[in-house]
Amino acid sequence: MQIELIDLDFVELPLKAPFETSMGRESVKSAWLVTLWAEGIPGYAECVADAHPFYTEETHATVYYAWKNDLVPRLAAQPIGDPETVSTRWTGVRGHRMAKAALEMAVWDWFGRARGIPLWRLLGGDPGRRQIPVGVSIGIQPSLEALKDLAIQYQAEGYQRIKIKIKPGWDVLPVKTLREALGASMPMMADANSAYRPDDAEDLARLDDFRLMMLEQPLAYDDLVDHQQLARRLRTPICLDESIRSAEDARRAFQMGACSVINIKPGRVGGYQEAKRIHDIAMERGYGVWCGGMLETGIGRAHNLHLSTLPNFRWPGDTSASDRYFVEDLVDPPFQLNPDGTLSVPEGPGIGVYPDPDRLRRFRRYHETWRGQTLRISGGIPDDLFRGRGVQR
Ligand code: OSB
Ligand code: MG
């Protein structure tokens, strides 16, 4: 395929309730949607960067300029024969993994559509996994009572696992409250988004009493060494999210015992190719992975579900149903939770869903079209496009 045209849509969808983590609080989901066009066929993806560099250093603004100045010119310079070769176009370009991922994932969607097969087949997913077990990630709540009510509600809806966000001062008591409210057998875990320091090991060890499936990213994103020490100290398995940006990171982390589980988000690691490598490295070493989430719209959610069909995704993902996030999703019909606590993988060609035109018009805050063989791109985004958006802190 030769990319002929690229549509960029910056969208904002109100969240039903604010999502608070140790990094800040978000009441609107904002994202770039990218649509690649070739031969009259679209390829869709959603970029998981936020307005501010709190989860990783990428932002909507860095993504836009990485695409414009470096990534799109390389991708559109010559035809693409196979989605597996996309990452070779980035040789020498460091970082910008979320920007790279969105383009690569849109190419994968395009090839699925062009060949008339669902993306999971193209990715090598297990044909027996048509329904993906899912959990829900609950943000920091204003009170223990609010946390308890929400968790009980999600458990009643059928979610297979409850994850809660923790930070110093909101950890042992919320976890204890939840364990008592949900019962001994409910799979539970906690995610700190790097809120703790190595000195906090003693406090974190108190979580061992509550039989969490795992503790996600307790320490700094760039620190495998202290995670290794902590993993030795705790009985609760350590799962890494922010710390794992590549297959090499995964290999090192497993090798040194910094974690025994990885939360894979294709956007964080640069796309499907790298996500599959991480999946495989874990499998070869006898470890498991699961699919995280970034509060994606239905476009990114569909991508995550297709990825989750690979055989070593062993635990429920953070890919919850549309109504856990939005009154209205970008896709119609929205993703719904099956009574058995799964989401169904869309069966159409590619990711099997597309942005509903009317909803896209209503949620779109900005649009740009890039065209031409070399996609010579001029102009720039308005200075105030991202001001005051996204996570507040
Ligand atoms: O750390 O997994 C995380 C959301 C935004 C940024 C980081 C994280 C999360 C979540 C929510 O936990 C997962 C989801 O429901 O999409
Ligand atoms: Mg996380």
Side-chain angles (χ1 to χ4, degrees), residues 32 37 41 53 66 89 103 153 218 239 244 264 271 285 342 356 388:
W32 283 114
W37 290 93
I41 299 167
R89 301 287 170 95
L103 295 178
Q153 179 206 315
C239 168
I244 307 298
I264 296 188
R285 289 165 187 256
T342 61
D356 178 74

Side-chain angles (χ1 to χ4, degrees), residues 344-363:
S344 303
V345 183
E347 277 301 334
I351 56 173
V353 298
Y354 57 89
D356 178 74
D358 170 60
R359 293 176 182 198
L360 180 57
R361 252 191 311 278
R362 280 187 287 119
F363 294 128

Side-chain angles (χ1 to χ4, degrees), residues 55 163 165 191-193 216-217 241-242 263 265 268 290 293 318:
Y55 172 77
K163 155 171 149 182
K165 295 292 188 175
D191 183 0
N193 290 107
E216 183 173 337
Q217 196 68 44
D241 173 354
E242 286 93 322
N263 164 344
K265 298 175 184 173
R268 189 190 71 231
W290 56 278
D318 273 347

Side-chain angles (χ1 to χ4, degrees), residues 19 21 23 26 50 55 136-137 163 165 191 193 216 241-242 263 265 290 292-296 301 318-320 324-325:
F19 187 72
T21 72
M23 305 179 287
E26 204 168 352
D50 290 319
Y55 172 77
V136 60
S137 171
K163 155 171 149 182
K165 295 292 188 175
D191 183 0
N193 290 107
E216 183 173 337
D241 173 354
E242 286 93 322
N263 164 344
K265 298 175 184 173
W290 56 278
M294 292 289 286
L295 314 179
E296 290 93 339
R301 194 163 308 283
D318 273 347
T319 41
S320 317
R324 177 257 174 273
Y325 309 93

Side-chain angles (χ1 to χ4, degrees), residues 24-330:
R25 161 185 257 257
E26 204 168 352
S27 23
V28 174
K29 171 62 190 179
S30 57
W32 283 114
L33 289 187
V34 47
T35 313
L36 307 178
W37 290 93
E39 301 160 36
I41 299 167
Y44 298 103
E46 167 177 350
C47 186
V48 297
D50 290 319
H52 301 288
F54 301 153
Y55 172 77
T56 73
E57 67 281 8
E58 288 186 84
T59 67
H60 298 316
T62 70
V63 165
Y64 175 88
Y65 286 107
W67 283 344
K68 178 178 164 179
N69 296 337
D70 294 291
L71 302 179
V72 167
R74 284 162 198 261
L75 192 63
Q78 45 182 302
I80 301 162
D82 179 334
E84 304 217 337
T85 64
V86 168
S87 56
T88 64
R89 301 287 170 95
W90 318 142
T91 303
V93 180
R94 290 185 183 170
H96 298 287
R97 291 183 172 84
M98 292 175 175
K100 290 170 178 171
L103 295 178
E104 191 239 29
M105 292 164 80
V107 171
W108 279 89
D109 178 42
W110 188 93
F111 273 90
R113 289 176 198 271
R115 293 182 190 163
I117 57 171
L119 183 54
W120 66 264
R121 274 191 194 281
L122 211 55
L123 289 169
D126 174 353
R129 298 186 167 224
R130 317 290 354 107
Q131 267 83 41
I132 304 300
V134 295
V136 60
S137 171
I138 302 181
I140 291 166
Q141 297 299 311
S143 68
L144 292 171
E145 204 56 34
L147 172 68
K148 198 170 97 177
D149 291 350
L150 210 50
I152 287 173
Q153 179 206 315
Y154 290 133
Q155 183 184 38
E157 287 177 26
Y159 283 104
Q160 297 197 29
R161 176 275 269 148
I162 302 289
K163 155 171 149 182
I164 63 163
K165 295 292 188 175
I166 58 169
K167 63 178 183 182
W170 179 266
D171 42 32
V172 175
L173 206 50
V175 167
K176 181 172 187 287
T177 303
L178 212 62
R179 179 51 83 204
E180 284 163 6
L182 301 181
S185 62
M186 184 69 189
M188 275 172 42
M189 58 177 291
D191 183 0
N193 290 107
S194 300
Y196 295 87
R197 309 300 312 149
D199 287 351
D200 297 324
E202 212 60 42
D203 288 334
L204 288 170
R206 295 168 62 205
L207 295 175
D208 277 343
D209 292 344
F210 306 102
R211 282 167 304 99
L212 299 179
M213 306 162 76
M214 60 191 88
L215 173 61
E216 183 173 337
Q217 196 68 44
L219 307 177
Y221 74 94
D222 56 354
D223 182 2
L224 292 182
V225 172
D226 290 312
H227 277 109
Q228 175 198 43
Q229 298 302 311
L230 185 65
R232 289 184 185 160
R233 173 83 178 72
L234 301 190
R235 265 183 290 125
T236 308
I238 302 284
C239 168
L240 290 177
D241 173 354
E242 286 93 322
S243 287
I244 307 298
R245 295 169 172 228
S246 65
E248 274 299 281
D249 284 345
R251 181 185 62 74
R252 293 183 193 114
F254 286 135
Q255 195 160 304
M256 64 194 276
C259 69
S260 48
V261 181
I262 291 176
N263 164 344
I264 296 188
K265 298 175 184 173
R268 189 190 71 231
V269 304
Y272 282 128
Q273 186 75 354
E274 203 66 11
K276 287 205 291 174
R277 285 197 187 110
I278 295 171
H279 167 276
D280 293 351
I281 284 173
M283 194 149 73
E284 284 157 18
R285 289 165 187 256
Y287 297 111
V289 302
W290 56 278
C291 187
M294 292 289 286
L295 314 179
E296 290 93 339
T297 77
I299 299 299
R301 194 163 308 283
H303 274 285
N304 286 337
L305 290 173
H306 283 275
L307 180 64
S308 303
T309 63
L310 296 181
N312 198 34
F313 280 81
R314 293 197 204 162
W315 295 279
D318 273 347
T319 41
S320 317
S322 300
D323 70 358
R324 177 257 174 273
Y325 309 93
F326 312 111
V327 173
E328 256 188 326
D329 200 339
L330 259 186

